[in-house]
Amino acid sequence: MKKSLGCLLIFIILLGQINLCYAAVKVMPTLIELNANKNKSNYLTTSFSVQAEKDEVVRFKIYPEYFTITDEGKMNSMPDSDSPDNLISHARFVPNEFTLKDGAIQTVRVTFTDLKSLPDGESRMVMFIEDVAAKEVILPNKNKNLNTRLIVKTRLGIPIYVDKGRFVKVGNFDDLKVEQNNNNLVYKINLSSNGNSKVRYHGKAQIIKNDKLIKEFPVNSNTVRANGIFEEKGLLPDNLENGEYILKVILTYKNEKGENKNLIKETQFQVTNKI
């Protein structure tokens, strides 16, 4: 008789598409941002779609949670919150449960009511799509007398933001450093936001030597919460020759008017002891 080794419950939380050996679920869009000032009525309506693969039959439930954004740009969701920027009490959505089969697409409509009672600035929630029934996956094991079972539930989250009234998006590039970490060179970015609505940025980094561009690589896109800070670390390329360099980071975000704004900072660093 075979023994069962472990029973693990795994929640997969992604903003986008899940691809596993037994299922694939696609959600579009993966992010919803709404401007209540562009709407003359006291409500807003939006929607998103959910699709499973053609050979899958999955039943999903829909539910919202409030969330905050950490200093690392991560989502911290919480079922209950009395924060004034919590959108949940304003949200109505249809349907709240549905079955997907044969690759069909289900549209979920979300309406936000009583917009006038929202505070100025950003309000938010995350809409979770979760399968109703957990799935059991048996993992292969070299020991024929042992089985490893995974109990898997799929959960996807779509952040929804509503900006209302007088809202401001102001980003600041506070600090940029390059430090040695074991045998690696690591850059550290410190950003902040002065506004009452988040700042979402993207950008690139350049390595310059003797006024010449040596390398260029993308910087991870991320979000700085309203009136908050953000910290990120990343590795520099490891094939730099000995010498003096400049790291220049160029970030771009959109302000409350939809205009592109650049945040630029540079710092010097040195590569030594390369053989």
Side-chain angles (χ1 to χ4, degrees):
M1 183 175 181
K2 291 185 178 181
K3 297 181 180 179
S4 177
L5 178 63
C7 182
L8 304 179
L9 180 64
I10 296 180
F11 281 94
I12 303 166
I13 305 175
L14 296 176
L15 305 181
Q17 183 171 341
I18 291 181
N19 285 302
L20 298 176
C21 57
Y22 59 88
V25 179
K26 185 177 182 180
V27 174
M28 289 295 294
T30 58
L31 169 71
I32 297 175
E33 297 175 298
L34 303 171
N35 186 343
N37 295 343
K38 295 182 178 181
N39 194 50
K40 295 182 180 180
S41 59
N42 197 26
Y43 68 91
L44 279 173
T45 300
T46 187
S47 65
F48 59 89
S49 63
V50 187
Q51 183 180 24
E53 283 198 336
K54 292 182 179 179
D55 58 349
E56 286 288 322
V57 178
V58 189
R59 187 158 185 83
F60 286 100
K61 61 181 179 180
I62 308 289
Y63 59 93
E65 289 187 3
Y66 177 70
F67 73 94
T68 58
I69 301 173
T70 69
D71 293 351
E72 294 77 34
K74 307 299 182 182
M75 176 188 295
N76 180 27
S77 65
M78 51 192 74
D80 299 310
S81 172
D82 57 1
S83 176
D85 58 4
N86 187 346
L87 278 174
I88 293 178
S89 63
H90 298 263
R92 307 290 182 269
F93 48 95
V94 178
N96 59 9
E97 196 166 312
F98 54 87
T99 299
L100 292 179
K101 59 181 179 179
D102 299 327
I105 298 175
Q106 174 67 55
T107 298
V108 178
R109 302 192 182 281
V110 186
T111 300
F112 296 101
T113 61
D114 193 21
L115 298 177
K116 293 180 181 179
S117 66
L118 290 173
D120 281 358
E122 171 193 288
S123 297
R124 61 195 172 277
M125 72 179 199
V126 54
M127 187 67 78
F128 281 118
I129 305 102
E130 182 178 317
D131 53 356
V132 173
K135 300 176 180 66
E136 182 177 298
V137 180
I138 305 296
L139 297 182
N141 197 309
K142 293 181 180 180
N143 189 335
K144 295 181 179 180
N145 295 320
L146 293 176
N147 279 338
T148 301
R149 292 190 304 124
L150 296 182
I151 306 301
V152 181
K153 289 198 58 98
T154 303
R155 188 169 85 153
L156 298 93
I158 303 176
I160 303 180
Y161 300 88
V162 173
D163 284 318
K164 175 250 179 183
R166 186 179 181 278
F167 65 93
V168 181
K169 298 174 180 285
V170 180
N172 303 297
F173 204 144
D174 298 320
D175 196 20
L176 173 65
K177 293 180 180 178
V178 175
E179 298 177 351
Q180 188 79 31
N181 185 356
N182 295 325
N183 294 323
N184 300 314
L185 285 173
V186 177
Y187 66 88
K188 295 183 178 180
I189 293 175
N190 289 335
L191 306 174
S192 63
S193 166
N194 290 346
N196 59 357
S197 181
K198 73 189 177 308
V199 170
R200 179 174 290 108
Y201 72 86
H202 65 276
K204 61 184 179 181
Q206 297 177 336
I207 296 178
I208 301 166
K209 184 178 183 182
N210 298 328
D211 297 325
K212 293 183 180 180
L213 179 62
I214 304 299
K215 293 183 182 294
E216 185 173 281
F217 56 94
V219 173
N220 290 333
S221 299
N222 224 309
T223 301
V224 187
R225 71 175 183 273
N227 196 29
I229 63 173
F230 174 79
E231 300 174 353
E232 185 175 21
K233 297 178 182 179
L235 291 177
L236 290 179
D238 60 1
N239 56 348
L240 297 175
E241 298 178 352
N242 288 345
E244 298 283 344
Y245 294 87
I246 292 175
L247 175 65
K248 183 176 184 180
V249 177
I250 305 167
L251 306 177
T252 302
Y253 73 94
K254 290 186 181 295
N255 67 4
E256 66 278 1
K257 298 178 181 178
E259 302 167 334
N260 285 330
K261 294 293 183 179
N262 291 328
L263 301 173
I264 302 174
K265 190 172 281 290
E266 59 183 48
T267 187
Q268 292 183 337
F269 69 97
Q270 187 173 19
V271 177
T272 58
N273 299 325
K274 287 271 186 173
I275 299 176

